[in-house]
Amino acid sequence: MMWRDPGQPADSYYEVRPEITDAPKTKFRIKAGKTLSARKWQSAFNSDGQLDISKTLGRIHRGGVHPSIRGEVWEFLLGCYDPKSTFDERSQMRQRRRVQYAQWKEECRQMFPLIGSGKFITAPIINEHGEAILDPLVLLETDLGDATAGIAADGAGDYSSREMENTVKNDSPMSKKEIQWKLTLHQIGLDVKRTDRALVFYEKQENLAKLWDILSVYAWIDGDVGYCQGMSDLCSPMIILLDNEADSFWCFERLMRRLRGNFNPLADLLG
């Protein structure tokens, strides 16, 4: 009987919190000679940076992708970059996309300053009429200054109702689109807290906030879909595999181009 290499488990690349004992083990195994390695991936590009996609796909089909390069491989598989593009073309495109994402994120931050702050919300901030909800939990989660201690102590703190309203409404009339967007922000936050919570990666507030920021920005630019349950699960791997937030956003955006027809905002609203 011929001996077969069982392969190396990939669990170490997605560390599970020690107190979580029932998390499923990954079935993927890193197999030498079959799994697309970093060396094989780099050798698939010619001197200009064009990718031999057919050879790459063949190896992926045989043994999958090594976790250390999954992010950059997915950028091609999801269509962020054309395999025929050069190193220079991709560098320029990456920079343009990062600038575009920064502009969208700033637009969202102007409407709601918690965007990009490293925090996120899980409580509604407005009602369907666009009026601020001045609940103590909302005040606590939206506080950007030193008033947090006061709010935690007595449920009110120094963060006044007027300041809260200004934070939510920015002292300007809101469009129907802006009201709808702000109505989804707490639902995104609730889903973010539930997403891949067994992973050590999401013990860090900054990673949870990054996921919330990306989903919030996407909900703003895609007004037809906005945000629906399940989208956080699709976005989460992008956050884990790619260091740059903007690059993660564009991978998610490309994935949503393929899957957005599966999401029905009306069904989410009706429960």
Side-chain angles (χ1 to χ4, degrees), residues 3-255:
W3 179 82
R4 292 185 178 180
D5 178 11
Q8 174 191 350
D11 292 291
S12 61
Y13 289 91
Y14 312 105
E15 188 179 356
V16 174
R17 291 159 52 189
E19 68 271 21
I20 305 295
T21 57
D22 57 350
K25 300 289 185 181
T26 178
K27 295 181 179 179
F28 175 72
R29 294 291 185 272
I30 302 168
K31 297 184 178 180
K34 291 187 177 181
T35 299
L36 179 65
S37 65
R39 184 178 63 81
K40 288 291 185 182
W41 170 245
Q42 292 165 4
S43 67
F45 294 90
N46 66 18
S47 58
D48 291 326
Q50 296 171 318
L51 175 66
D52 186 338
I53 190 65
S54 60
K55 182 186 294 185
T56 301
L57 289 175
R59 184 169 290 275
I60 292 173
H61 288 155
R62 288 195 301 273
V65 181
H66 194 281
S68 64
I69 56 169
R70 277 185 181 167
E72 51 191 295
V73 174
W74 278 21
E75 287 184 299
F76 283 89
L77 298 183
L78 291 173
C80 292
Y81 300 113
D82 187 331
K84 295 181 180 178
S85 62
T86 65
F87 289 128
D88 287 342
E89 289 169 341
R90 289 196 295 276
S91 177
Q92 294 172 17
M93 186 175 295
R94 186 184 297 277
Q95 183 57 32
R96 287 197 301 270
R97 287 175 175 166
R98 288 179 176 179
V99 169
Q100 177 65 83
Y101 176 71
Q103 291 172 345
W104 283 334
K105 187 173 179 180
E106 176 59 20
E107 187 177 348
C108 292
R109 193 193 68 79
Q110 291 293 329
M111 293 184 291
F112 190 58
L114 223 65
I115 300 291
S117 70
K119 299 175 102 178
F120 63 96
I121 57 166
T122 59
I125 56 172
I126 61 169
N127 60 27
E128 64 227 21
H129 303 297
E131 300 163 337
I133 297 177
L134 304 177
D135 181 90
L137 179 58
V138 178
L139 295 173
L140 176 62
E141 291 190 329
T142 56
D143 176 49
L144 293 174
D146 296 330
T148 306
I151 294 169
D154 59 17
D158 300 323
Y159 202 46
S160 69
S161 297
R162 182 179 297 276
E163 288 170 321
M164 173 61 203
E165 189 170 352
N166 288 342
T167 296
V168 174
K169 297 183 69 174
N170 278 331
D171 277 338
S172 60
M174 286 189 286
S175 66
K176 183 178 179 181
K177 178 183 177 183
E178 184 176 345
I179 291 174
Q180 186 56 49
W181 177 71
K182 286 182 176 178
L183 286 171
T184 68
L185 294 179
H186 79 283
Q187 184 60 57
I188 296 174
L190 288 170
D191 286 350
V192 161
K193 287 192 73 171
R194 293 191 286 257
T195 302
D196 291 331
R197 54 188 172 186
L199 297 181
V200 170
F201 181 82
Y202 282 119
E203 286 185 325
K204 294 182 178 180
Q205 171 82 4
E206 63 191 77
N207 292 330
L208 291 169
K210 188 185 296 185
L211 179 57
W212 185 72
D213 283 345
I214 288 177
L215 292 169
S216 298
V217 172
Y218 183 84
W220 174 248
I221 67 163
D222 189 347
D224 292 334
V225 172
Y227 177 78
C228 300
Q229 288 185 332
M231 288 168 59
S232 61
D233 294 314
L234 296 177
C235 187
S236 177
M238 316 304 175
I239 302 288
I240 295 171
L241 295 173
L242 291 159
D243 293 331
N244 184 275
E245 182 179 320
D247 297 343
S248 300
F249 170 86
W250 286 108
C251 269
F252 175 66
E253 189 272 342
R254 281 300 191 273
L255 180 61

